[in-house]
Amino acid sequence: MIDFRSDTVTRPSEKMRQVMASALVGDDVYGDDTTVNDLELWAAERHGFEAAIYCTSGTQANLLALMAHCDRGDEYLCGQQAHNYKFEGGGAAVLGSIQPQPLENDADGSIPFSKLTAAIKPLDPHFARTKLLSLENTINGKVLPLEYIQQAREFVNQHGLQMHLDGARVYNAAVAMNVDITEIVKYFDSFTICLSKGLGAPVGSLLLGDKALIAKARRWRKVLGGGMRQAGIIAAAGKLALTENIERLADDHHNARYLAEQLNTVEGFSVNLQHIQTNMAFAKVDQHINQTQLIATLKQQDILISGGNPMRFVTHLDITTADIDTFIAALKSAL
Ligand SMILES: *Cc1c(COP(=O)(O)O)cnc(C)c1O
């Protein structure tokens, strides 16, 4: 299969499967799983944070962060396009009694400070209590400018808020900017990393924060049914992903650009190359193209794409440059 739908489709390498098979495990709810403990301690130290918690998914890690920062009747400020507003089933409201305050993102994924300032509620029984600013990096494949993040830190300090990063793909941002990950995450009170996307682990995300925040998150994780037992089996893959699969993200970024360039040679497809910053390309697709038929034709040739307009293509460790050539040839002949 050549699968462009998402970087979540990556499968564990042979080496990763071996590391998983030989992982030392115990009951993680008792704190006895050596491999989970090692991953959490290592990740905290590596990223300059006090503590980390291994979670079942990015959605759970974000929800734990929101529930640890905010109490019932509090609110978080976020982008209208934020994953933890738009794509997580309204979990903060459903399960946390936390109100989202979404605000329109600018084209680069930032949220203007004028809008954020205007959205902060006065302390008054009429209003939810504004507690947190939640940002996302990368957001739709775009890297949030470091200067904006610095200014956001000053903004939250000024207003007595906390700041969370949905960093599902924050390593893509660090690799694209060629900076150490700590240069991005040091501005935040908490952040998440998805191990199961471009980093290539089969399951899991991390939430990092200070000890008090992670202790709260640990309680909520149990309440949400996320207390796992011999989770070292999957945590072992997460550690390998974080230690061995970072630098190669640059290949995915090159491949996304190559894919975009090739798509621009296909009639009816057009990608703005200036928007390619990491591992995603968004193509405008001519209205006359029958997408349903196209998707089915390509599927018969073991090529999977998402529909939509723009159509999103994601590169990852199971996509090579040769796969892109195969896809472009199949696309041209299908059209
Ligand atoms: C994928 C993703 C998540 C959620 O991760 P899951 O593991 O799919 O729950 C959160 N935020 C962003 C930006 C994501 O891309």
Side-chain angles (χ1 to χ4, degrees):
M1 281 289 178
I2 304 175
D3 195 341
F4 292 102
R5 293 171 305 167
S6 178
D7 47 8
T8 54
V9 301
T10 55
R11 268 162 282 196
S13 64
E14 205 42 53
K15 180 174 180 187
M16 193 173 270
R17 287 173 187 272
Q18 276 164 22
V19 168
M20 293 170 76
S22 59
L24 293 175
V25 297
D27 187 330
D28 181 48
V29 175
Y30 286 116
D32 287 350
D33 192 291
T34 317
T35 305
V36 172
N37 292 343
D38 169 65
L39 173 64
E40 291 178 346
L41 286 170
W42 177 86
E45 193 163 318
R46 164 68 185 95
H47 298 93
F49 277 65
E50 278 180 17
I53 181 169
Y54 183 58
C55 307
T56 57
S57 66
T59 299
Q60 186 183 68
N62 272 328
L63 180 57
L64 295 182
L66 293 171
M67 291 175 74
H69 282 293
C70 301
D71 292 319
R72 184 176 194 211
D74 291 347
E75 76 168 3
Y76 65 108
L77 309 173
C78 61
Q80 195 70 246
Q81 300 307 320
H83 199 282
N84 63 13
Y85 167 62
K86 199 173 171 185
F87 298 101
E88 297 182 6
V94 175
L95 299 161
S97 301
I98 301 159
Q99 166 171 293
Q101 170 61 72
L103 299 158
E104 207 60 56
N105 293 92
D106 272 353
D108 65 358
S110 64
I111 311 164
F113 293 112
S114 54
K115 286 186 190 166
L116 289 170
T117 307
I120 295 176
K121 318 281 183 288
L123 272 183
D124 173 309
H126 288 86
F127 303 112
R129 291 160 304 207
T130 313
K131 282 284 172 68
L132 180 73
L133 169 62
S134 179
L135 300 176
E136 186 173 314
N137 191 16
T138 61
I139 176 159
N140 289 325
K142 284 184 223 157
V143 177
L144 207 52
L146 208 46
E147 200 188 358
Y148 175 78
I149 298 175
Q150 287 162 354
Q151 290 167 356
R153 184 71 245 176
E154 285 167 28
F155 172 86
V156 296
N157 286 350
Q158 227 171 19
H159 293 92
L161 306 177
Q162 301 276 95
M163 188 158 83
H164 172 70
L165 176 67
D166 177 348
R169 297 190 180 86
V170 65
Y171 267 102
N172 292 85
V175 167
M177 288 198 301
N178 200 18
V179 298
D180 188 75
I181 188 74
T182 53
E183 293 303 314
I184 301 175
V185 300
K186 69 182 181 189
Y187 296 102
F188 294 89
D189 298 294
S190 61
F191 78 104
T192 60
I193 311 169
C194 275
L195 305 170
S196 64
K197 292 189 171 164
L199 299 183
V203 192
S205 281
L206 287 165
L207 170 66
L208 294 92
D210 67 21
K211 282 185 178 154
L213 188 93
I214 297 304
K216 268 179 144 178
R218 201 171 288 282
R219 178 182 153 71
W220 285 127
R221 187 186 67 172
K222 188 79 183 86
V223 173
L224 293 169
M228 295 182 282
R229 302 297 179 180
Q230 286 72 34
I233 296 280
I234 46 179
K239 173 91 178 277
L240 193 74
L242 275 173
T243 46
E244 299 207 351
N245 285 347
I246 303 294
E247 272 136 53
R248 62 150 309 286
L249 290 174
D251 302 343
D252 299 341
H253 300 175
H254 288 131
N255 277 336
R257 180 160 293 274
Y258 179 67
L259 171 63
E261 286 163 0
Q262 294 306 305
L263 281 169
N264 279 339
T265 70
V266 179
E267 211 179 305
F269 281 73
S270 133
V271 184
N272 184 338
L273 293 177
Q274 276 168 353
H275 293 166
I276 313 284
Q277 296 180 11
T278 58
N279 67 332
M280 288 185 198
F282 291 87
K284 277 197 197 127
V285 182
D286 191 294
Q287 303 287 350
H288 301 297
I289 292 173
N290 181 336
Q291 287 200 18
T292 313
Q293 204 176 352
L294 178 64
I295 290 167
T297 306
L298 290 170
K299 193 172 177 185
Q300 281 167 0
Q301 298 165 68
D302 291 342
I303 298 169
L304 299 179
I305 60 169
S306 308
N309 215 348
M311 195 180 275
R312 186 183 84 157
F313 295 87
V314 187
T315 53
H316 50 77
L317 52 70
D318 289 341
I319 299 244
T320 63
T321 310
D323 290 337
I324 293 169
D325 292 334
T326 304
F327 161 60
I328 294 292
L331 179 62
K332 283 181 175 167
S333 91
L335 291 170

